[in-house]
Amino acid sequence: MRFGFDNPLPDSVDADAVVVGAGPGGAAVSRILTGGGLRVVMLEEGPPRSRFRPSFAHTAKYHMQEGASMLVQGSVPFPVMAGRGVGGGSLVNSAICFRTPENVLESWAESLDDDRYLAQNLAPIYDEIEARIGVAPVSEATAGENNMVIARGAQKLGLEGGLVRRNAPGCIGCGICNYGCPVGGKGSVDQNLILDAEDAGLRLQADCRAEALLVDGRRAVGVVGRLHHPDTKAPGAVVRVRAKLVVLAAGAIGTPRLLWQDGIARDLGPVGEQLLLHPGSGILGVCDHEVHMWKGVTQGAYVWDPQLPEALPHTITAPPEALVIQSGRVGLEAKQVMREVNHLCGLGMMVSDRGVGSVRASRSGRAKLRYEWVPEDVDVLKQGLVLSARVLLAGGAREVFVTAFGAGRHRSAEGVAAELDDLPLHAFQLYSAHPMSTCPMGLDPETSVLNPAGRAHRMDGLYIADAGVFPSSLGVNPQLTTMALATLIGRGILQERG
């Protein structure tokens, strides 16, 4: 059953478990807990259903945390995006579904001393989730020319890559996944995992921002949330959910922000101290033929070079007005981009980072983010952009230019490489949409917040089941692994309860 601002839950509710956040992690863990017979209440800050319109301003208001205005400070400022609403980030992401690389999972299993995290042991959970959310390779019929340029380039260079696997079984290739899905073709978790949990008895209160945990001694016993009007943000009634288990799944920014706002973060260990972001930038190519970057599957192709495993280039998909902004050009150069807009293709270059970041909460409850780049990650960014230039040129572009201020146009990857040697980090247009690892699992309470079961080291009854639990950077889009690990954590909770 689903509740909103106008039809809320009673002001006091009892449950076996309360879950904060209705994104990939919260949906997956709730599906398992309700399926195991637990009475579960879920609190979600965003709206109860998709408020889709083909407008970034509209999406930012209803389906992005803090109105898409989160900005990290540190080495250089850049925006960080995170979703909200029933479906969370899966409402507004590109539906890309990678499994975490085997070497990363092997390192997790070793550091956690837990073989459940080995690739072969997680494979059945990945299989289960992929089947339920509709993961399949992108078809050439809906891919669009932008993605096909990348696929051809990867094939010509003999690199791993091509069309990606996505949870969008009804995709028609309209290219606006980041605003939401206009036809219901994306397998966002509101279309599957949340429905499963609701069928098993989940009570879901949307339009409700969690403000504090209820704590009895050293045990979490519930959550206090406050309703907010979805349009005006005016505060409404308070909802108190008392429960035997508290599962935080508000995302790798939302969860530590809540714990710091509540004043209990210091008691739980290094909460918010290991923010990783998969930061990146982009490169655009100019083709002689028309591409129409905004047509076809959103971010439907990728490239991977085993010689540069920390880099993951994948397609940029953007409407014409966003392309001009993303190009980093102004004045006459921006006018040239506008004339060429039908002929542009592009790759975004994502870094599997080792930088050092943090999450705190301001007095107003907004996230305070810091992030410091390390030189190794800057090198990967630049090398990855050179790799991306090679792919675009091999796939059909006649010239390329990095989305950085002061960057020129080049007809060879060597020209890009020479230019990037001296280009400072602050010249790049940087971006992140994959916050993670802010409440990591580990064996040592001094360096981790959770044990390998997702349970807090220093507070009984408290679990976390979002991308914040990752011990390290994935190097790939995180939504599928978030669902897989939340499923594993949920099953562990049921086993602990007998």
Side-chain angles (χ1 to χ4, degrees):
M1 187 174 294
R2 202 170 299 189
F3 303 84
F5 183 85
D6 294 325
N7 61 323
L9 283 166
D11 58 9
S12 182
V13 181
D14 291 325
D16 295 317
V18 57
V19 177
V20 177
V29 74
S30 295
R31 174 177 179 254
I32 297 302
L33 297 181
T34 56
L38 272 61
R39 298 173 301 135
V40 179
V41 172
M42 175 180 280
L43 303 182
E44 165 56 44
E45 178 186 10
R49 290 172 180 80
S50 172
R51 298 284 296 265
F52 170 80
R53 284 185 189 172
S55 159
F56 179 74
H58 185 87
T59 300
K61 178 177 181 178
Y62 292 105
H63 289 302
M64 304 297 290
Q65 291 183 29
E66 300 191 11
S69 66
M70 292 191 295
L71 195 72
V72 296
Q73 304 294 328
S75 303
V76 290
F78 59 95
V80 179
M81 302 295 172
R84 65 192 286 268
V86 175
S90 72
L91 289 172
V92 291
N93 67 18
S94 299
I96 298 170
C97 289
F98 284 110
R99 298 189 182 194
T100 296
E102 290 189 12
N103 66 303
V104 175
L105 293 176
E106 184 175 347
S107 73
W108 289 3
E110 182 177 355
S111 66
L112 299 173
D113 192 23
D114 193 331
D115 286 348
R116 292 181 303 164
Y117 293 95
L118 291 171
Q120 64 266 29
N121 295 329
L122 278 178
I125 298 179
Y126 276 126
D127 290 342
E128 173 189 342
I129 296 295
E130 289 176 353
R132 184 65 186 96
I133 66 175
V135 177
V138 169
S139 73
E140 292 189 12
T142 57
E145 177 59 13
N146 190 32
N147 290 311
M148 295 309 299
V149 169
I150 282 77
R152 288 195 301 267
Q155 183 179 32
K156 187 173 181 179
L157 295 175
L159 296 171
E160 180 181 328
L163 300 180
V164 301
R165 302 174 75 242
R166 302 171 71 243
N167 61 315
C171 180
I172 61 173
C174 58
I176 53 175
C177 282
N178 301 131
Y179 298 151
C181 185
V183 298
K186 188 195 297 188
S188 49
V189 296
D190 59 310
Q191 302 291 318
N192 37 67
L193 305 186
I194 290 285
L195 298 182
D196 292 347
E198 288 180 322
D199 287 345
L202 174 69
R203 288 176 288 172
L204 198 168
Q205 174 65 67
D207 299 324
C208 183
R209 182 183 175 101
E211 294 187 338
L213 271 63
L214 296 171
V215 178
D216 184 1
R218 298 299 304 165
R219 185 173 189 86
V221 295
V223 175
V224 178
R226 181 177 292 276
L227 300 178
H228 289 267
H229 193 281
D231 299 319
T232 67
K233 310 303 180 188
V238 170
V239 175
R240 290 177 176 82
V241 183
R242 298 193 66 87
K244 301 168 185 173
L245 300 169
V246 175
V247 183
L248 302 182
I253 292 176
T255 289
R257 176 179 56 199
L258 167 61
L259 294 172
W260 278 101
Q261 180 184 6
D262 189 27
I264 64 172
R266 285 189 176 88
D267 298 332
L268 299 177
V271 171
E273 292 293 350
Q274 189 183 298
L275 174 65
L276 298 172
L277 289 170
H278 280 168
S281 190
I283 184 168
L284 298 176
V286 185
C287 298
D288 290 324
H289 64 286
E290 290 194 342
V291 175
H292 299 124
M293 185 187 284
W294 52 92
K295 294 183 179 180
V297 167
T298 307
Q299 291 191 289
Y302 78 103
V303 182
W304 189 76
D305 185 347
Q307 301 302 312
L308 191 62
E310 301 90 356
L312 183 64
H314 38 4
T315 314
I316 293 174
T317 304
E321 63 275 16
L323 280 175
V324 177
I325 297 171
Q326 289 177 352
S327 71
R329 271 47 183 177
V330 295
L332 293 176
E333 289 184 341
K335 290 182 70 174
Q336 182 178 358
V337 172
M338 292 174 69
R339 288 193 297 269
E340 296 169 334
V341 72
N342 290 342
H343 297 261
L344 295 179
C345 58
L347 277 167
M349 218 311 292
M350 186 182 85
V351 177
S352 182
D353 51 328
R354 291 160 284 187
V356 180
S358 64
V359 179
R360 295 290 187 272
S362 68
R363 290 183 179 180
S364 66
R366 288 177 58 89
K368 293 173 62 177
L369 309 178
R370 291 198 63 84
Y371 185 83
E372 301 294 337
W373 284 72
V374 297
E376 295 87 348
D377 288 347
V378 178
D379 289 342
V380 170
L381 174 66
K382 293 182 176 183
Q383 293 175 52
L385 288 169
V386 174
L387 169 64
S388 300
R390 291 174 55 213
V391 172
L392 293 176
L393 291 165
R398 57 176 163 81
E399 63 181 16
V400 295
F401 56 96
V402 175
T403 58
F405 297 102
R409 294 178 174 236
H410 303 277
R411 292 179 177 264
S412 71
E414 291 74 20
V416 174
E419 178 179 67
L420 292 182
D421 277 345
D422 298 321
L423 202 64
L425 183 62
H426 64 76
F428 291 89
Q429 295 223 64
L430 301 170
Y431 176 87
S432 168
H434 297 167
M436 59 192 145
S437 300
T438 51
C439 295
M441 296 185 293
L443 299 178
D444 184 354
E446 296 300 318
T447 59
S448 61
V449 177
L450 311 170
N451 72 7
R455 185 175 67 248
H457 288 300
R458 299 178 179 180
M459 181 169 287
D460 293 336
L462 176 62
Y463 294 79
I464 297 176
D466 55 35
V469 310
F470 302 159
S472 67
S473 173
L474 300 188
V476 296
N477 302 59
Q479 72 158 348
L480 188 63
T481 296
T482 301
M483 295 182 222
L485 265 57
T487 297
L488 187 66
I489 289 168
R491 288 187 174 143
I493 290 172
L494 293 180
Q495 290 173 358
E496 288 179 6
R497 290 175 57 86

